Amino acid sequence: MGKLFEWSRFLENIPKILPYLTVTFSIVFYATIFGVLLAVFIVLIQIKKVRVLYQISKVYISFMRGTPMLVQLMLIYYGLPAIIDPLLGTSINRDWSAVVFAYVTFILNQGAFLSVIFYSAVTSIPYGLTEAGLSVGLTHYQTFIRIILPQMIRVALPPFGSDLVGLFQGSSLVFLIGVTDIMGRAKTIGSATKHVLEAYVFDVIIYIIISLAVRLLFWYLNKRLDYSNVNKTGRKEGTPWIST
C-alpha cells in the first residue's frame, strides 16, 4: 500500500474533489434561502399566536433543535417516501435525487434554528422605538424598515453567522445518503485507491478555510454595524476620517 500519506497523492486528489464543492454550496445556499423564508413564517405565527399553528411550530422547533442532524437526515430520507408514496402512489425514493432529500432536511433544520434567532432579535427591540417612529409621522412600514429592521439585523447577525458555519460543516453528513459532495467524493477515492488519508485531509482544509472565511465576513459585518464606539464627532473610533 506504500506510505500512509504522500503529497503526490494529495495533489492528485485536489482536482478530483474540488468540483464537488458546488454540491456542498448548493445545499448551503438552498437551506439558507428557504430556511430564512420558513423562519420568518414561523416568527409571524409566534408573534400573532395563530391557533394550532403556534403549538405545531413549538413542537417542530423543539424536535429539530433537540435531535441530531444525522437522525433528521435519515428520517427524511427513509420516512418521507414511506408517508408520501402510499398517499400519492408515487415512488419518490427512486424519482428524486438523494440531494433533494438533503435540501428538504437542511431547509427544515434551518427554519427551526433561524426562527429562534429571528424571534429573539424581534423581541429584543423595545416597543418604545415603534411608538417613537409613529409619533414623528412614520407609517408602521416605514418605522419597521428604518428603525426596527436595522437593529434586528444587528442583533441577529452574530448568531446567524455561527449558524451558517454550522450549516456548512453539517452538510458533510449528506454523503451518508448517497450524495456525492466533497466528503462523498473523498470516500469513493479512498475506496478505489485504498488511500483515504490524503482525500480527507484535503476536505479538512476546505472546511477550515471556508469556515474561517465565513466567520471573518460576519465579524467584519458585525464591526461595520457596531455603533457603540461612535465618538462625539459622529465618527466611529478607529475609522479614518474622510473629508467630503
Side-chain angles (χ1 to χ4, degrees):
M1 293 182 62
K3 294 181 180 179
L4 182 63
F5 183 93
E6 289 187 357
W7 284 107
S8 60
R9 291 199 298 262
F10 175 83
L11 295 175
E12 289 175 0
N13 288 336
I14 293 177
K16 297 178 182 178
I17 296 175
L18 206 55
Y20 293 88
L21 188 59
T22 58
V23 177
T24 301
F25 283 155
S26 70
I27 294 172
V28 173
F29 175 78
Y30 286 114
T32 302
I33 296 299
F34 291 101
V36 167
L37 296 176
L38 179 58
V40 170
F41 177 69
I42 294 172
V43 170
L44 291 176
I45 290 174
Q46 292 181 332
I47 292 176
K48 300 296 184 180
K49 298 251 183 334
V50 181
R51 290 185 178 181
V52 182
L53 291 179
Y54 178 78
Q55 298 300 329
I56 292 175
S57 69
K58 286 294 186 181
V59 174
Y60 160 70
I61 292 173
S62 178
F63 174 80
M64 300 305 289
R65 298 186 71 206
T67 55
M69 174 60 74
L70 180 59
V71 173
Q72 298 170 18
L73 190 63
M74 293 303 174
L75 283 177
I76 294 297
Y77 185 67
Y78 293 106
L80 205 60
I83 295 173
I84 294 179
D85 288 349
L87 293 176
L88 302 180
T90 57
S91 181
I92 63 174
N93 57 343
R94 290 199 302 265
D95 298 337
W96 290 8
S97 171
V99 73
V100 176
F101 293 96
Y103 291 154
V104 173
T105 304
F106 283 91
I107 287 171
L108 292 175
N109 180 271
Q110 284 301 103
F113 277 85
L114 293 179
S115 67
V116 176
I117 294 174
F118 295 166
Y119 184 79
S120 299
V122 171
T123 55
S124 68
I125 309 301
Y127 185 71
L129 295 178
T130 301
E131 294 178 331
L134 297 175
S135 67
V136 297
L138 297 178
T139 64
H140 281 87
Y141 175 78
Q142 291 172 331
T143 301
F144 177 78
I145 295 298
R146 298 183 183 183
I147 300 176
I148 306 301
L149 184 60
Q151 298 188 62
M152 286 173 51
I153 293 175
R154 173 67 182 85
V155 173
L157 199 60
F160 182 80
S162 298
D163 181 80
L164 188 60
V165 172
L167 170 62
F168 174 71
Q169 295 173 351
S171 66
S172 61
L173 295 173
V174 299
F175 83 97
L176 294 173
I177 62 171
V179 178
T180 308
D181 64 334
I182 57 175
M183 285 293 294
R185 182 55 177 150
K187 182 175 181 293
T188 57
I189 290 175
S191 299
T193 64
K194 307 303 179 182
H195 296 285
V196 299
L197 187 57
E198 293 87 356
Y200 285 125
V201 167
F202 181 63
D203 280 359
V204 168
I205 293 173
I206 290 177
Y207 282 113
I208 290 175
I209 291 175
I210 295 180
S211 296
L212 289 176
V214 173
R215 291 185 185 277
L216 182 61
L217 172 63
F218 277 86
W219 173 83
Y220 174 77
L221 293 175
N222 189 55
K223 185 177 180 181
R224 294 290 296 177
L225 294 174
D226 184 9
Y227 296 99
S228 61
N229 60 344
V230 176
N231 59 26
K232 293 182 179 180
T233 64
R235 293 182 295 142
K236 295 180 69 173
E237 294 179 359
T239 302
W241 179 261
I242 301 177
S243 60
T244 56

